[in-house]
Amino acid sequence: MQADARLERGSRVLTPQSAPSLEPDPELGPDPEEDARAGATFAALHGPALRASGVPERYWDRLLHKLEHEVFDAGEMFGIMQVEEVEEDESEGDAAREVRKKPNPGGQLCYKVIVTNENGLQAADPNSIFLIDHAWTCRVAHARQQLQQVPGLLHRMANLMGVEFHGELPSTEAVDLVLEEMWKFNQTYQLAHGTAEEKVPVWYIMDEFGSRIQHADVPSFATAPFFYMPQRVAYTLLWPLRDLDTGEEVTRDFAYGEADPLIRRCVLLPWAPADLLDLSSSTPEPPEEHYQAILEENKETLPLAVKPAVYPCDHVFKVYTDVRQVLSHLSHPRFTFTQSEADAHILFHFSHFKDYRRLSRERPSVLLNQFPCENLLTVKDCLASVARRAGGPEGPAWLPRTFNLRTELPQFVSYFQQRERRGEDNHWICKPWNLARSLDTHITKSLHSIIRHRESSPKVVSKYIESPVLFLREDVGRVKFDIRYIVLLRSVKPLTLFVYDVFWLRFSNRPFALNDLDDYEKHFTVMNYDPELVLKQMHYDEFIPEFEKQYPEFPWKSVQAEIFQAVTELFQVACARPPPLGLCDYPSSRAMYAVDLMLKWDSRPDGKRVMQPQLLEVNFNPDCERACRHYPAFFNDVFSTLYLDEPDSCPVTRLV
């Protein structure tokens, strides 16, 4: 879905010393019953969101009226003042004072918003809630394109941010400056419903009035994004937290919700520079309570101890599945399909199974395609923390250095600043914990960008592979590529692990370079979900000789041995501890995962150049469309290995 780029009410651009002018306020309808019905409907539709944002109910009726009639009456109450310096308040913290020394960083002019109404403002007044318009709404992936193509957008953003911009046509330099400065102004929200693409976080910049509101550790106002469903328009709501007299400043907390002083210091870095070099960047594995909390959050129950199911060697298994590719391609004579879960010997679910306790109690011999606690592998923050068992706080060599931005933000900031001081590469990739297909994934060398991305959805940040092993495409040049292996987990104790001998490749469409970081076709390899993108396909048996031709010193057999060793180590540490710290040893579980990885150039202590595998993610229930199309017996092989325990006749390699 194309992101929305709009200059909402662009004709009402502010002069530096004025706030939005008061618009006509239509009289309320004379029918109290009709007003009551409208209010009840509004509360039913928007009440949960308003309560979650902390908007007091005393404002709801007037908010509805302002929304229905698009009443922007902040100009009656507030004004924007240009200031040269702001007096320090001894009661404020250091971070707040630092922010207040340079409001709205980015330009020479500084502003603040004050109450100008001669009667001041009373928090108890039902009318004391205000709509703030949004000057720019976008998804990050489309920001550069919009600045280049939407008439007037770059000029307005440059003026709002204090970025110098001359000329009529958008220059690369001006666009780059706005893209960097916007992280000091961006706010975010996320749609609760829709496709995966539609639920990617939306970023917006408030209009000139909203963007002039400054930070305070103890703010006088609160703000919250609000999506008005009847108009399908997003606003920011502004309401007071206390009474204010004429001349008092309107402030909000840029680190709202963060109580920890160190976290607040990190969150406020885009506005208040801070040095965290002395802080340790070490990230030891989280305590046991962390994993227990994840188990409870997932609402997953652990199974009772059961004996392994025993079936006759000629038994025909009834399979219940909602996976279309299994229904279409599983043709082995010892498997048949049933539409009744109650009759099934094997449950092969597309979505995550939760109630292992009930299943183990009522149907202990039923086999299924999942392991309890497998999210330790398939969710990116858990993958990183579990992998540290193999490599210590720095992580193993086969996993890019990764930080959980929710729990390890200070350590990341320290590590980033240490690398910056040493002049080391500082490109990072910011990824949601639990999304695939590169959705909401961003490559950046901007610390401010990474810190602000933390606000949109749970994310990890991993060191971007700055020196990937490239593949020469004759039609394009030397491009990035990644490799997908299908891994089959037969049991946890003893650990029994296989890898499918056929692997799959994905290629970028443009030559790799450490620039144009928002050029998707240069930096990403997932091209099969956008029909407008070129999809380069190559079978593994074509790839191997071509790879060895390009890198004659690196026979594929040796490279693959390193890959298999990395995969083996990952599953060993993931299965070494009892649940919820590791995958649960449930004898009736089997699983198929896709392990995605890249190769990077590295050097050993003796100076020898090596190709180091970099595991990127582990996917549950991967898309096997390509596997089925080119290898129709794929699911026969998977089911024979996992459920019949007959791997010898299948193209699989036993790792453990």
Side-chain angles (χ1 to χ4, degrees), residues 23 195 216 241 261-262 269 274 393 482 556 561 563 611 643:
E23 298 188 9
T195 64
L241 299 174
L262 180 57
L269 265 172
D482 68 10
W556 183 253
I563 293 171
M611 291 182 178
Y643 299 107

Side-chain angles (χ1 to χ4, degrees), residues 24 83 265 415 623:
V83 296
R265 191 178 173 200
Y415 189 70
D623 181 359

